[in-house]
Amino acid sequence: MKRVGVLVSYFSRDLFRSWTGVLAIAGALVFYLVAIASVIGDLDRDYYALVIGGFFGFWSLLLTVLLADRAHCSTSYMILYRLPARAAFLAAVTLTAVLVTGILEIAVALFSLPRLEAPVTASMAMDLLPVWVAWLALGAGLGLHMSELVRRGWSRTALYGLLALVLFVLSERQGGAAVGLVDRLSWIPSFIVDPGRWEWLFRAVDVLIWPLAAAVRVARAVPYTVLESLSPALTLLLAAVFYGLAASLFNSKDLILPDG
Amino acid sequence: MIQVSDLTKRYGAVTALERLSLTVPAGTVFGVLGPNGAGKTTLLRLIVGLLFPDEGQIELGCLRHELGYLPERPHFPPRFRIGEYLRVVGQASRLSGGALDQAVAAALAQTGLGEFADQRISACSKGMLQRLGLAQGLLADPDLVLLDEPFSGLDPAAQAAMWALVRELRHAGKTIVVSTHRLNEVSQICSHIGILSRGRLVRSGPLKEVLVPRSQVLIKVDQLPDEVAGQLSELHPALRVNGSEVLLPDDAIRVKAAAVRLLIDAGVDVLHLEQRRATLEQVYLETVAL
């Protein structure tokens, strides 16, 4: 853990001495000016929770990709060879992205408070923070797989292909259940036989997406169930699965890093 | 000590190392020699753990993350200061407090970078970067140090300084593996060598056994009739005739007197006779051409 802390400090210093660090801050500033400051009238709670949380979840993904690609160069050899486990290196990249984005998110959230239509209560903060943290972690977990540092063979294509499939199935589900998908694929003879055979896929997608959908309910000013209140933890679990997969790819990868 | 057994590494269809086995005894300076593309860097990266072998295994006499390593053409984060960077890598090696301060100061002093601790890495010369690379490798006082082409791109003075450092490490009893092309220095410092060629270990062992400097005799004559040239070739199969020159390699030196006598008896004017020792480079080139 101490090594991870040292590396987080190293990556942070390296980031903020580069244009990537300037980009991270500038992006947050532009977001604030466009999505918060320029909005006419007061912000409602749902807008505040979802737009800020959603943007910085994406920003966490982007910063993870940028940080991982900065680390994917031969300057990292001197760090990597002295680590008993490579996972510490990846954990540091992820944690740096989450911390930096988290700090930017808190700053934007605090600056946006005066624009809210109603003052923030402790209960609102308790609802929002776990959801935002979970989205930051999920963004970072997904971002790792976009980077060259983690990619092995077709891993990136496979993962993002799977995510595209999930989103496609989800869109079909929302647009009229299983029939829409089956109709589109009806040119394949086996699909005509039994449309119900793909029900398991829709259920699997529902299970995967549920934590995210439930977290949106938690973040919004709508009543949510006890089960839904666990959604940030489940989203974190999903992020941990993505991180674990990335660590497993990185641990057994041949590291031939470009000069940089 | 390093024990490498049946090591094979492939990059797609290219075999970088093939069934390589070698032993680096503890406390020795082991030179890894070989032309470009022979597999030297791959071997060192496999030992360090940056690459994984397809077959075979590597056993080290220390924990892998406790060795010291200088990569080929080391790069550093340019916006860090030398001392600051060494503190980071020292902390990554679990040094802290007074031990970290001492280790950084010692590494800076050992590599002659003491007065440059506050200098930005982006302002360092090639020689300074190479010394910084060595400093980070020595920071945690490792028993095993791997140096990948530590002299490439250095001017003669910097090279001499680097060799002096390697000598110091040898006297301190470290096990050092150094990959290089510089045979003359290798012959002065390395106790053992391994010669790689096309991914295979061609020779390995104590330097004096592997690279034995050999002699050869060169005879220059005025004009050499074909008939006499034929008679000379019959003296020894290794003897070579090239125009007006007769070359007797190490194996054929014992027929030197007979060759000279044959030339004089045949009335050929012997203009020049010279016995010379083959350089290490020549022996090395013959070895990698095997």
Side-chain angles (χ1 to χ4, degrees), chain A:
Chain A
M1 221 30 222
K2 194 178 171 189
R3 276 193 171 105
V4 175
V6 167
L7 294 183
V8 167
S9 158
Y10 166 70
F11 285 130
S12 305
R13 276 182 279 171
D14 186 46
L15 176 71
F16 285 112
R17 292 172 190 182
S18 71
W19 286 109
T20 311
V22 175
L23 176 79
I25 297 171
L29 189 63
V30 169
F31 165 76
Y32 173 79
L33 294 173
V34 171
I36 307 290
S38 65
V39 171
I40 298 164
D42 289 337
L43 301 175
D44 67 46
R45 174 187 157 152
D46 286 359
Y47 184 90
Y48 179 84
L50 298 181
V51 170
I52 293 179
F55 173 79
F56 281 100
F58 165 74
W59 209 235
S60 169
L61 181 147
L62 191 71
L63 199 59
T64 305
V65 176
L66 293 173
L67 271 168
D69 281 339
R70 285 184 70 77
H72 184 254
C73 71
S74 58
T75 54
S76 296
Y77 281 144
M78 266 83 74
I79 302 282
L80 279 161
Y81 85 81
R82 57 183 84 234
L83 300 177
R86 288 185 188 176
F89 188 84
L90 211 56
V93 170
T94 314
L95 210 54
T96 306
V98 169
L99 284 175
V100 169
T101 320
I103 289 167
L104 291 173
E105 184 170 16
I106 289 170
V108 169
L110 289 176
F111 277 110
S112 308
L113 281 179
R115 304 292 314 277
L116 266 175
E117 60 188 3
V120 177
T121 61
S123 121
M124 177 184 170
M126 292 289 282
D127 283 346
L128 273 186
L129 287 177
V131 174
W132 282 359
V133 169
W135 287 351
L136 289 179
L138 187 64
L142 284 170
L144 284 176
H145 291 275
M146 264 191 193
S147 69
E148 273 301 305
L149 189 68
V150 166
R151 184 189 69 81
R152 269 186 70 188
W154 291 89
S155 69
R156 180 162 52 192
T157 311
L159 182 79
Y160 279 92
L162 195 66
L163 288 177
L165 179 70
V166 166
L167 292 176
F168 176 70
V169 170
L170 189 70
S171 124
E172 289 297 318
R173 190 84 161 145
Q174 288 172 345
V179 181
L181 176 63
V182 171
D183 284 347
R184 284 191 197 195
L185 299 176
S186 63
W187 57 275
I188 304 171
S190 62
F191 277 85
I192 303 168
V193 180
D194 179 14
R197 71 194 299 184
W198 293 99
E199 192 55 32
W200 65 270
L201 182 62
F202 302 126
R203 288 186 190 283
V205 168
D206 281 346
V207 169
L208 274 174
I209 291 296
W210 184 84
L212 296 174
V216 170
R217 282 185 67 82
V218 173
R220 292 175 63 201
V222 293
Y224 56 85
T225 64
V226 175
L227 191 61
E228 283 172 335
S229 69
L230 293 175
S231 59
L234 292 172
T235 308
L236 273 178
L237 187 67
L238 203 57
V241 169
F242 284 124
Y243 171 78
L245 186 61
S248 145
L249 289 167
F250 185 61
N251 277 343
S252 52
K253 181 180 179 174
D254 280 339
L255 290 177
I256 302 173
L257 306 176
D259 289 347

Side-chain angles (χ1 to χ4, degrees), chain B residues 203-225:
Chain B
R203 299 251 178 96
S204 174
L207 178 80
K208 286 174 185 170
E209 290 175 20
V210 177
L211 286 185
V212 183
R214 289 176 293 158
S215 299
Q216 59 182 15
V217 169
L218 177 71
I219 305 170
K220 287 184 181 175
V221 297
D222 187 17
Q223 279 189 332
L224 189 61

Side-chain angles (χ1 to χ4, degrees), chain B residues 112-134:
Chain B
L113 291 172
E115 59 185 299
F116 303 106
D118 292 327
Q119 181 168 318
R120 278 198 194 281
I121 291 174
S122 56
C124 288
S125 66
K126 169 87 182 164
M128 287 173 73
L129 291 178
Q130 207 76 347
R131 279 188 282 162
L132 177 57
L134 194 59

Side-chain angles (χ1 to χ4, degrees), chain B:
Chain B
M1 206 264 288
I2 304 174
Q3 181 75 50
V4 176
S5 313
D6 285 330
L7 198 66
T8 298
K9 179 66 190 173
R10 297 183 196 92
Y11 298 118
V14 177
T15 302
L17 291 177
E18 190 170 3
R19 298 187 67 78
L20 185 144
S21 297
L22 66 82
T23 302
V24 178
T28 58
V29 181
F30 191 99
V32 180
L33 303 176
N36 290 334
K40 303 186 297 292
T41 295
T42 297
L43 174 63
L44 264 57
R45 286 179 178 174
L46 282 161
I47 294 172
V48 172
L50 295 169
L51 302 178
F52 293 94
D54 291 307
E55 290 163 35
Q57 54 186 5
I58 300 166
E59 289 171 35
L60 302 179
C62 65
L63 292 172
R64 183 163 265 146
H65 62 273
E66 288 178 355
L67 55 76
Y69 171 56
L70 169 64
E72 186 181 11
R73 297 191 308 273
H75 288 80
F76 305 92
R79 292 170 195 88
F80 277 66
R81 296 179 191 282
I82 287 177
E84 179 191 18
Y85 176 75
L86 287 177
R87 291 187 71 81
V88 170
V89 290
Q91 286 170 319
S93 288
R94 305 210 85 167
L95 294 170
S96 59
L100 176 64
D101 296 339
Q102 279 182 3
V104 170
L108 287 169
Q110 207 170 2
T111 51
L113 291 172
E115 59 185 299
F116 303 106
D118 292 327
Q119 181 168 318
R120 278 198 194 281
I121 291 174
S122 56
C124 288
S125 66
K126 169 87 182 164
M128 287 173 73
L129 291 178
Q130 207 76 347
R131 279 188 282 162
L132 177 57
L134 194 59
Q136 64 76 29
L138 302 177
L139 202 59
D141 194 25
D143 291 328
L144 172 61
V145 183
L146 306 177
L147 308 173
D148 192 359
E149 299 282 2
F151 314 102
S152 65
L154 297 183
D155 62 45
Q159 284 174 17
M162 187 65 86
W163 274 116
L165 270 172
V166 176
R167 260 189 220 103
E168 273 180 37
L169 294 174
R170 184 185 65 176
H171 292 314
K174 310 282 185 193
T175 305
I176 303 161
V177 179
V178 54
S179 90
T180 181
H181 299 286
R182 302 183 58 81
L183 286 164
N184 286 335
E185 283 85 349
V186 162
S187 66
Q188 289 170 27
I189 290 185
C190 295
S191 54
H192 292 66
I193 61 165
I195 301 180
L196 297 181
S197 178
R198 300 184 205 101
R200 290 170 179 269
L201 187 69
V202 185
R203 299 251 178 96
S204 174
L207 178 80
K208 286 174 185 170
E209 290 175 20
V210 177
L211 286 185
V212 183
R214 289 176 293 158
S215 299
Q216 59 182 15
V217 169
L218 177 71
I219 305 170
K220 287 184 181 175
V221 297
D222 187 17
Q223 279 189 332
L224 189 61
D226 291 346
E227 186 189 349
V228 179
Q231 289 172 347
L232 281 170
S233 298
E234 286 171 12
L235 286 175
H236 196 282
L239 185 148
R240 293 200 297 272
V241 178
N242 184 17
S244 60
E245 287 186 356
V246 180
L247 187 72
L248 288 81
D250 201 41
D251 301 346
I253 280 183
R254 59 192 168 81
V255 300
K256 173 178 65 178
V260 173
R261 195 175 307 118
L262 193 151
L263 288 167
I264 292 170
D265 290 349
V268 176
D269 288 337
V270 176
L271 303 176
H272 179 82
L273 188 148
E274 179 190 357
Q275 181 159 351
R276 59 189 181 197
R277 288 169 73 83
T279 62
L280 279 173
E281 276 86 353
Q282 285 169 315
V283 180
Y284 162 76
L285 288 172
E286 285 171 19
T287 306
V288 296
L290 285 176

